[in-house]
Amino acid sequence: EIVLTQSPGTLSLSPGERATLSCRASQSVSSSYLAWYQQKPGQAPRLLIYGASSRATGIPDRFSGSGSGTDFTLTISRLEPEDFAVYYCQQYGSSPEYTFGQGTKLEIK
Amino acid sequence: QVQLVQSGAEVKKPGASVKVSCKASGYTFTSYYMHWVRQAPGQGLEWMGIINPSGGSTSYAQKFQGRVTMTRDTSTSTVYMELSSLRSEDTAVYYCARSRLSLSWFDPWGQGTLVTVSS
């Protein structure tokens, strides 16, 4: 099973700042089969990024994903108030198990 | 638009079973896979298994083998997840989520169903 480790656990930033979230895999993720999700309190996760770097429909271009192999990054270029949430990475290239990272909480400083 | 609507909250006693439903609309039901993911209070996301609504084939996470059963009803475009031998650690929000292929991202997700296991 591929284990995903996200860092930092909590990131405290102010609106307008740049956020960089990391996701490291215990072994190479096939074909960059990595996704990022955003989850706000009381809501279901929402897809942000798939294929490591492709934005999902309707996702603002301030969100970007990069990386390959075992190291992946989600970047939010200029934080908006609605971006403060928990972010999860997920690998979906290793069937039959689909694993998630433990999450990074992005909070307002 | 694509929608996944789940059944309501449940309260169960330890040892009982629970069956959660997920009704799909806005797309061809048999053309997409469905996953179940759970989230314990204050915790992260845990993948439970996948069902192919076309033929009904399933694959479960090793942790839930023997306790979980996923089924579908193509006449109502609904998938079901039944978890048996419930214990307090199964208290969680259970989500269904769609994927285009078996190796594909999850989008969208249902609204979630809270299952509480308590004596």
Side-chain angles (χ1 to χ4, degrees):
Chain A
E1 175 183 314
I2 296 178
V3 176
L4 300 179
T5 302
Q6 293 186 239
S7 61
T10 301
L11 185 57
S12 300
L13 294 170
S14 300
E17 291 193 293
R18 180 185 186 91
T20 302
L21 287 67
S22 173
C23 177
R24 178 161 292 178
S26 60
Q27 54 189 281
S28 185
V29 176
S30 302
S31 303
S32 295
Y33 284 168
L34 188 111
W36 289 92
Y37 300 88
Q38 177 194 67
Q39 187 178 35
K40 297 180 180 179
Q43 297 184 16
R46 177 176 73 143
L47 176 70
L48 297 176
I49 301 287
Y50 62 91
S53 61
S54 297
R55 269 189 305 277
T57 302
I59 301 304
D61 61 7
R62 63 180 180 273
F63 289 91
S64 63
S66 63
S68 64
T70 60
D71 288 294
F72 299 87
T73 300
L74 174 69
T75 301
I76 311 171
S77 58
R78 295 173 310 280
L79 285 166
E80 298 286 342
E82 62 268 26
D83 298 337
F84 292 91
V86 179
Y87 292 84
Y88 294 95
C89 59
Q90 178 211 21
Q91 69 82 22
Y92 51 88
S94 175
S95 180
E97 299 278 346
Y98 306 75
T99 50
F100 292 89
Q102 82 280 18
T104 289
K105 181 179 181 181
L106 179 55
E107 65 176 23
I108 299 177
K109 187 174 182 179
Chain B
Q1 74 283 20
V2 176
Q3 268 196 308
L4 303 176
V5 179
Q6 299 184 222
S7 50
E10 302 263 14
V11 179
K12 296 292 182 181
K13 293 194 182 303
S17 297
V18 68
K19 192 170 186 177
V20 180
S21 68
C22 170
K23 183 173 176 60
S25 62
Y27 70 97
T28 301
F29 178 66
T30 51
S31 296
Y32 291 77
Y33 292 79
M34 200 73 80
H35 302 257
W36 288 91
V37 177
R38 77 176 186 180
Q39 185 172 39
Q43 302 301 308
L45 301 167
E46 182 176 35
W47 181 79
M48 299 180 68
I50 180 175
I51 182 168
N52 180 350
S54 178
S57 61
T58 57
S59 180
Y60 304 135
Q62 190 168 6
K63 176 177 180 176
F64 300 101
Q65 290 273 3
R67 273 211 309 146
V68 70
T69 304
M70 296 177 187
T71 57
R72 95 291 190 215
D73 181 344
T74 56
S75 68
T76 59
S77 299
T78 302
V79 296
Y80 300 91
M81 186 283 300
E82 184 170 20
L83 189 63
S84 63
S85 303
L86 290 169
R87 36 213 188 224
S88 58
E89 310 90 87
D90 294 317
T91 294
V93 176
Y94 290 76
Y95 295 101
C96 58
R98 187 190 76 161
S99 70
R100 181 63 181 90
L101 305 168
S102 61
L103 296 182
S104 184
W105 53 92
F106 298 1
D107 182 51
W109 296 55
Q111 85 277 17
T113 296
L114 175 61
V115 175
T116 302
V117 183
S118 174
S119 54

